[in-house]
Amino acid sequence: MSARRGRPRTGKGAGHGLTDTARRIIRLNYGFQLLFNLLWWMPVFYAYQKAAGLSDGQIFGIQSIYYVAFCLFEIPTGLIADRIGTRNCLRAGAVVMTAANLAPVVSASYTGFLVHFLAIAAGRSLTSGAASAYLYDGLQAEQCDEHYLKAEGTARALGLAAKVVCWPLVGPLMSAAHAAPYVLSAASAAGSLACAVALPRLAGADGGTGKAAERTNGGRRSGDFLRDAGSALRCVASSRWLALVMVQGVAVFTLSRICQVNLFQPILLDHGIAETSHGGVLAAMTVAEAVTSARPQWLSRRLTPVAWVSVLSLVLAATLAAMTLGGPWAVVTLLCLFAAAAGFAYPVQRKLVNDAVPAHAPRATLLSVESTVDRAVCALAAVAAGAYLSAGHLDALLWHSALATAVLLGAFQLMLRSGVVKRGPVAAAPGAPSAPTGSADTTDADTCAPTACTAPATEPGRDALHDAGDADRLTGGGGRRPRG
């Protein structure tokens, strides 16, 4: 059970090393996170579907459906997790993911790929946040929760390292056995299932007892979720600064997501770069993003975080446009520059949003709303990208995306400078600590009425859990509040 708040912890894990159970939980979590998210087909799925006879319209139509499905699965899978517990939810997600990766092997057709991505959305929704929540609750039960952040960060680093090592091998493996990327992804998912099965049972956390039962019978009911969602929407409506910052974040996420996941293969193929090299390029992009996302302090403090996000967004737009002008090596370099700029932008933008959230507002729900909007916009962008590519207008798509970004940023800065929207709490430089939540600054972000923004108190660290899962953009990791 969770340690009582406000009392010094004594016993097996307090202030000391890890217990045997805590070590087991951490190691199995490493294995689960690495294997579950190791999608071998990521660098070649576009070329694979083209080889199967799908058109650009069909490929990007499936992507649009995937984004919408991910949004729609968020609520029901959350309710399932509350009932069956996080450990069982991880097992269910691993089973679904294993079957999903085998669907294109069984049927390399439009229907097969549609079923594949719908199942991917369901599997990721089942585990979105559940792994972090299980890790947090497990370490807290062992009174070793001070090791949580290190364990979460190490799991993230191991996952990135596995992708960097494995993705360059995808092209040669696919040449030897065409279905190898999907078979290996299914094998990895099956390995994650083995890790989930080996996870120890937490006292009162599974099978509809303890915390799960509390949330079903007297805690996080569906009505509570809807009430929190309503409060979050009222906060956004009453805080123009928060709404504006969220719109900026949606623009950054959509631009980077569509380029790094949906368009990087068409861009490489358009410049004559064979699909056997796509894994190596994606691995290089992953390294560039990982390095910069971990080093926001490298950004100069002469500019505010808002200005930095605008500058980095312009860099993203400029690199997109420049890809239409350069050769193969220039395009690879620009894609890595794009990934590096996105890596810088993510943590700075996340800090801006968190600083803009009014005191006592349902923070996790607000971030979930933003994540849902992100994916809804990505769904529309994927349809538009498919239409451009079907017409053979890739260069026009890149230029129009860059111009649209510049226009949006111009409107954003105009609203800031005109005084129509007051800035939120004075934000520190990117590498500096955030201002206290209870700041006395009187800003537009604080005009949210208490009745609209008050949410039940949550356990310590829950908001941090939500932010910890924000980094895994390439594999579609969700942004929902972790489940207990």
Side-chain angles (χ1 to χ4, degrees), residues 102 162 168 190 282-283 307 317:
L102 290 175
L282 187 55

Side-chain angles (χ1 to χ4, degrees), residues 12-35:
K12 51 186 176 181
H16 302 292
L18 293 167
T19 64
D20 290 340
T21 301
R23 285 194 188 91
R24 183 184 176 195
I25 289 172
I26 289 175
R27 289 170 182 171
L28 289 171
N29 177 69
Y30 289 164
F32 181 88
Q33 297 270 32
L34 188 156
L35 294 170

Side-chain angles (χ1 to χ4, degrees), residues 377-429:
V377 175
C378 280
L380 298 176
V383 172
Y388 273 90
L389 288 178
S390 297
H393 296 155
L394 175 60
D395 286 357
L397 171 61
L398 298 179
W399 274 104
H400 291 169
S401 300
L403 291 173
T405 302
V407 170
L408 179 63
L409 288 173
F412 179 85
Q413 291 297 327
L414 183 62
M415 293 185 71
L416 282 182
R417 297 180 183 280
S418 65
V420 174
V421 177
K422 297 179 181 178
R423 290 177 182 265
V426 178

Side-chain angles (χ1 to χ4, degrees), residues 163-172 276 279-280 283:
K163 291 170 187 175
V164 170
V165 171
C166 295
W167 277 346
L169 305 176
V170 172
T276 54

